[in-house]
Amino acid sequence: DGGITQSPKYLFRKEGQNVTLSCEQNLNHDAMYWYRQDPGQGLRLIYYSQIVNDFQKGDIAEGYSVSREKKESFPLTVTSAQKNPTAFYLCASRRAGQGATEAFFGQGTRLTVV
Amino acid sequence: KQEVTQIPAALSVPEGENLVLNCSFTDSAIYNLQWFRQDPGKGLTSLLLIQSSQREQTSGRLNASLDKSSGRSTLYIAASQPGDSATYLCAVKPGNTPLVFGKGTRLSVIA
């Protein structure tokens, strides 16, 4: 089945620790996105990539880093510089281009600082 | 900067009612608009995609309309069921940039 897989589903981070969230897709999509969701705030864009080896900052990129070495994979690292990382993280992908192409989402990773 | 607003923030209806969820956006220069459903603790499921040149799209009991010039979209749900209870999110694609989301409408359908 084609789709987007995020792992792990739940992740716990200690203070000062870096953690990496995985996002893999087998839809052959060029563009991939990371969003953060907090209660009452909707989805906010962290980073996105429209092609391999290239990515752009979103609205809340501080304290996060990404890589796009393969078309299928777009991992997100939450660094110790991110002071409030507890949130629900969502990965999405879509075909490239400006036309009417649907965005598809993974099932999310819930990150909690302990 | 594009902003998306969804009204109401929450809605509770008895089973069987027809209902309308509203979405408005500030910049009419969009390529498409997409409606999603999100169940608690889950990812987003795409419901309907409307191209900027279209006026509406239908899927089963769902009908979404788009009035680009006035910056509005509605999601109509016919004969609501308890299984429709979820948060519904609207998102617009403002050109060659990522989707911009509203904060969603939390729907409860009471049996």
Side-chain angles (χ1 to χ4, degrees):
Chain A
D1 283 338
I4 302 175
T5 301
Q6 289 188 241
S7 61
K9 188 173 181 179
Y10 299 97
L11 187 57
F12 298 91
R13 191 194 95 164
K14 295 180 180 179
E15 295 283 349
Q17 194 178 46
N18 292 354
V19 292
T20 297
L21 284 60
S22 171
C23 179
E24 304 274 336
Q25 54 96 1
N26 60 5
L27 300 166
N28 199 33
H29 286 171
D30 294 292
M32 297 187 73
Y33 310 85
W34 275 105
Y35 289 89
R36 169 177 171 147
Q37 188 176 35
D38 295 278
Q41 294 213 37
L43 274 70
R44 294 182 290 167
L45 182 68
I46 305 173
Y47 268 99
Y48 65 103
S49 168
Q50 304 206 69
I51 195 169
V52 174
N53 292 323
D54 188 42
F55 48 83
Q56 288 78 40
K57 293 182 179 180
D59 301 318
I60 56 166
E62 185 175 351
Y64 299 98
S65 66
V66 293
S67 63
R68 187 83 188 279
E69 297 176 0
K70 298 186 301 181
K71 189 176 185 178
E72 303 80 19
S73 178
F74 191 40
L76 174 74
T77 297
V78 184
T79 75
S80 57
Q82 172 49 242
K83 298 306 179 188
N84 185 23
T86 294
F88 191 51
Y89 291 87
L90 289 159
C91 178
S93 72
R94 63 187 291 275
R95 280 194 292 115
Q98 298 174 340
T101 62
E102 267 184 296
F104 294 92
F105 279 77
Q107 288 300 299
T109 292
R110 184 165 298 282
L111 173 62
T112 304
V113 174
V114 296
Chain B
K1 181 182 177 183
Q2 177 75 264
E3 293 184 0
V4 179
T5 303
Q6 291 188 246
I7 294 173
L11 181 64
S12 183
V13 301
E15 182 177 7
E17 269 203 11
N18 302 326
L19 58 100
V20 174
L21 307 181
N22 295 294
C23 171
S24 61
F25 45 96
T26 54
D27 187 343
S28 62
I30 64 169
Y31 279 96
N32 61 60
L33 183 145
Q34 200 167 348
W35 281 94
F36 295 88
R37 168 185 173 138
Q38 185 177 31
D39 293 292
K42 303 291 186 182
L44 276 63
T45 300
S46 178
L47 296 174
L48 289 164
L49 171 71
I50 310 178
Q51 299 180 37
S52 61
S53 58
Q54 295 178 318
R55 297 284 293 183
E56 64 179 304
Q57 281 283 358
T58 298
S59 175
R61 293 182 295 109
L62 305 179
N63 176 278
S65 68
L66 174 64
D67 185 344
K68 206 173 77 160
S69 61
S70 68
R72 294 182 181 180
S73 175
T74 61
L75 179 66
Y76 175 84
I77 302 177
S80 58
Q81 303 170 359
D84 294 330
S85 298
T87 297
Y88 291 81
L89 294 129
C90 165
V92 300
K93 188 151 195 333
N96 195 26
T97 54
L99 289 172
V100 178
F101 283 83
K103 294 184 179 181
T105 294
R106 190 172 65 253
L107 173 66
S108 297
V109 181
I110 311 301

